[in-house]
Amino acid sequence: MSGRHRAYAYGAALGFLGDLLIGDPRRGHPVAGFGRAAGALEQRMWRDDRGAGSAYAALCVGGAVAAAAVADRAARRRPLLGAALAAAATWSVLGGTSLAREARTIGAALQAGDLAAARDRLPHLCGRDPAALDADALARAVVESVAENTSDAVVGALVWGGLAGVPGLVGFRAANTLDAMVGHRSPRHLRFGWAAARLDDAAGYPGARLTALLAALAGPYPRSALATARRDGPRHPSPNAGPVEAAFAGALRVRLGGTLAYGGRVEHRPVLGAGFRPPRPADIGRAVRLSRRVGALALGASVLLSAARGRTGRRGAR
């Protein structure tokens, strides 16, 4: 492994540990800063057409990647600085600890029988309408969110870090954040957010497939996870959430999917794992533990990808 890729490996491991031990900072989070800048730029660039939205997505994500690339190049000949940069970037883009914390908070409220507290907390985890959800429906919402966000907040970033280093980490998080801001199907963003949504789908594709595979490897029922992901994943309306949620359904042997209320509208999604029982509050902890194991395996995969990229680069230079 070259010095550059060794620096990434050490930095990614340190950043992963930072997220594990500290989680997201209360103030001054770089992702929040990116969101504020993107929001200000949206106010200037918004038009009800795809062209304006495509330019907006290119400027936001391209600008973030360019800044990361400049910093990465400046640190290339200084391994300690390179490792520090990779650690800071990894810690900034990962959200595994915040995901686990929110899920466990809702799980604890449900276990205590406090439906009101669980409903109040659900919007911190997902955009689903909690008002009419009972304990089992809340548990389902949390398990599905843990599954999807394991890919979005952990594995996807690590995949792109392994493929492209610090610019890959930053670019993935920028695309994912922008999709959360403008990629939904509201009247304002239906056209303007189209490019951001498609970019996020493309960026999330490899991470979602790896998340499904790792959920099978890390879960107690690998055959069930793989079979459910293959059978039910393609039926989901999201090309990336589908295989991930289906793999978690099979790995935990719980039934996910079905009718939900999201953003003021009712959606009837396909059932994932139809032969299994509905999730219960106790399954939230199981989902979080599976998510943690998947994240650790994804870190290893990221380091291996980076090492393979370094070997390929050395062969190409000969």
Side-chain angles (χ1 to χ4, degrees):
M1 186 185 295
S2 69
R4 176 188 174 192
H5 297 285
R6 189 178 296 112
Y8 170 79
Y10 290 145
L14 284 172
F16 186 90
L17 184 62
D19 177 67
L20 184 65
L21 296 178
I22 303 171
D24 293 331
R26 298 290 183 184
R27 297 179 180 177
H29 198 300
V31 175
F34 170 83
R36 287 192 295 271
L41 187 61
E42 180 193 351
Q43 297 303 314
R44 292 178 174 270
M45 293 189 64
W46 184 88
R47 300 288 186 278
D48 191 19
D49 67 80
R50 289 183 176 183
S54 297
Y56 169 74
L59 277 174
C60 290
V61 178
V65 171
V70 168
D72 189 47
R73 181 172 291 276
R76 188 164 295 179
R77 296 184 181 278
R78 302 167 68 180
L80 287 178
L81 184 58
L85 178 64
T90 303
W91 174 64
S92 296
V93 304
L94 295 185
T97 292
S98 294
L99 172 64
R101 184 184 297 128
E102 292 295 340
R104 284 174 172 149
T105 297
I106 298 170
L110 291 175
Q111 295 277 28
D114 192 346
L115 277 180
R119 287 170 178 155
D120 286 344
R121 200 69 191 178
L122 186 66
H124 291 261
L125 191 63
C126 66
R128 203 166 301 183
D129 181 6
L133 301 183
D134 61 13
D136 287 350
L138 285 164
R140 185 193 117 197
V142 174
V143 171
E144 289 174 356
S145 295
V146 167
E148 182 176 1
N149 284 296
T150 298
S151 178
D152 286 346
V154 182
V155 181
L158 289 171
V159 167
W160 280 103
L163 291 172
V166 170
L169 290 168
V170 171
F172 175 83
R173 177 53 59 219
N176 189 250
T177 302
L178 206 65
D179 176 62
M181 293 176 64
V182 304
H184 40 83
R185 293 180 175 273
S186 67
R188 175 179 173 85
H189 294 132
L190 185 62
R191 295 182 180 86
F192 184 78
W194 176 86
R198 299 292 78 75
L199 179 61
D200 182 62
D201 285 344
Y205 189 92
R209 273 74 199 162
L210 181 61
T211 304
L213 176 61
L214 295 181
L217 292 175
Y221 305 106
R223 291 184 180 178
S224 174
L226 290 174
T228 307
R230 283 196 299 265
R231 183 188 68 239
D232 296 340
R235 300 168 55 220
H236 196 282
S238 168
N240 294 332
V244 171
E245 291 184 17
F248 266 67
L252 300 171
R253 290 194 171 177
V254 295
R255 184 169 69 243
L256 302 178
T259 301
L260 57 85
Y262 185 89
R265 65 184 185 275
V266 175
E267 294 185 11
H268 301 283
R269 294 184 177 177
V271 172
L272 312 174
F276 305 130
R277 62 170 175 80
R280 296 190 286 261
D283 293 313
I284 292 174
R286 296 175 63 221
V288 169
R289 290 190 292 273
L290 177 59
S291 173
R292 286 305 208 184
R293 292 193 295 270
V294 168
L297 290 174
L299 173 64
S302 181
V303 170
L304 290 175
L305 280 171
S306 180
R309 184 164 56 93
R311 288 194 295 271
T312 301
R314 287 200 302 274
R315 285 197 298 267
R318 291 173 185 171

